[in-house]
Amino acid sequence: DSGVTQTPKHLITATGQRVTLRCSPRSGDLSVYWYQQSLDQGLQFLIQYYNGEERAKGNILERFSAQQFPDLHSELNLSSLELGDSALYFCASSQGQGANEQFFGPGTRLTVL
Amino acid sequence: GEDVEQSLFLSVREGDSSVINCTYTDSSSTYLYWYKQEPGAGLQLLTYIFSNMDMKQDQRLTVLLNKKDKHLSLRIADTQTGDSAIYFCAESIGSSYKLIFGSGTRLLVRP
């Protein structure tokens, strides 16, 4: 158990819908990272927040957005969902701003029908 | 550019050593990592090495880094059936905070 929690574990929804994935980092970690794991793209970095502020952006679609709240939990919002958005979404956390020692949550499996 | 490559599959007999290889293209890598993913689970950080090191050993795991050839390897001694999983190599670059992952190597340990 990494100490990073993600809810829900599974999510099934339809195209065009909007969903919110939630992540709670390890106690004391200030950085939260979101990654997408799909069969065709592999593991891709989406976005990072540090202490409530966006720090880095990767291959994140405009239909996707994220935020980190004062209690340091983070939410990833996916809207206008397409079949290709079906993937495993991971959250990771680390103590500082750097990527050293990122600890991953169990992931949320999103299925878009 | 940023690219990390791994072979897709490795099969070893229980008790043998496993060596999983990885190559990367960006010479400004700061840290290089090995993660393990078991079926239905998240990624578990196994070990990492700073880019100015050649080797790191941690119990059954040995990481070797050849910076000149941009080659990273993970050796698992006395491989057990519980080591069967997908192993991902990843790099972080400079002051960037993102991890660039390889496609993963599926390790199968035969009894």
Side-chain angles (χ1 to χ4, degrees):
Chain A
D1 185 354
S2 66
V4 179
T5 60
Q6 289 187 248
T7 56
K9 277 192 84 166
H10 302 277
L11 201 46
I12 302 174
T13 188
T15 53
Q17 295 298 304
R18 173 191 165 94
V19 297
T20 298
L21 313 184
R22 184 188 166 103
C23 167
S24 292
R26 292 187 323 158
S27 178
D29 283 358
L30 298 178
S31 271
V32 168
Y33 310 78
W34 286 97
Y35 292 85
Q36 180 195 58
Q37 185 179 34
S38 62
L39 279 174
D40 53 344
Q41 302 271 1
L43 262 163
Q44 301 243 331
F45 168 74
L46 295 178
I47 197 164
Q48 182 214 1
Y49 279 83
Y50 174 75
N51 206 19
E53 290 189 11
E54 183 184 304
R55 272 290 183 259
K57 238 176 178 175
N59 301 322
I60 188 165
L61 299 171
E62 283 193 18
R63 300 183 284 109
F64 296 0
S65 65
Q67 54 184 326
Q68 186 180 27
F69 295 87
D71 67 353
L72 301 176
H73 90 272
S74 177
E75 292 180 357
L76 179 67
N77 301 296
L78 316 176
S79 61
S80 303
L81 285 166
E82 302 175 0
L83 295 178
D85 298 328
S86 295
L88 205 45
Y89 291 85
F90 286 110
C91 167
S93 73
S94 70
Q95 268 196 325
Q97 296 188 53
N100 191 23
E101 291 200 80
Q102 291 183 28
F103 294 90
F104 281 72
T108 293
R109 182 170 294 281
L110 173 67
T111 303
V112 183
L113 300 175
Chain B
E2 305 161 348
D3 197 19
V4 178
E5 293 195 0
Q6 301 178 238
S7 52
L8 288 180
F9 185 73
L10 176 66
S11 177
V12 301
R13 198 183 299 266
E14 190 175 15
D16 287 351
S17 290
S18 308
V19 179
I20 303 172
N21 295 300
C22 169
T23 57
Y24 58 97
T25 54
D26 201 309
S27 56
S28 57
S29 293
T30 310
Y31 288 93
L32 293 128
Y33 303 79
W34 285 103
Y35 280 87
K36 176 184 179 184
Q37 186 178 30
E38 294 181 83
L43 286 95
Q44 175 193 354
L45 176 62
L46 289 177
T47 187
Y48 63 94
I49 188 168
F50 189 49
S51 57
N52 68 353
M53 295 171 64
D54 297 325
M55 188 183 93
K56 181 178 180 181
Q57 189 152 2
D58 185 359
Q59 299 183 335
R60 291 190 299 123
L61 306 179
T62 303
V63 178
L64 293 177
L65 175 61
N66 181 327
K67 206 169 178 183
K68 175 175 163 289
D69 294 339
K70 299 191 187 74
H71 182 266
L72 181 76
S73 68
L74 174 70
R75 180 176 178 270
I76 306 173
D78 187 25
T79 315
Q80 302 298 306
T81 53
D83 295 324
S84 292
I86 300 177
Y87 290 80
F88 290 93
C89 167
E91 61 172 348
S92 64
I93 299 166
S95 61
S96 164
Y97 309 122
K98 63 182 181 181
L99 293 178
I100 311 296
F101 283 90
S103 54
T105 299
R106 184 177 293 275
L107 173 65
L108 175 66
V109 182
R110 310 185 307 274

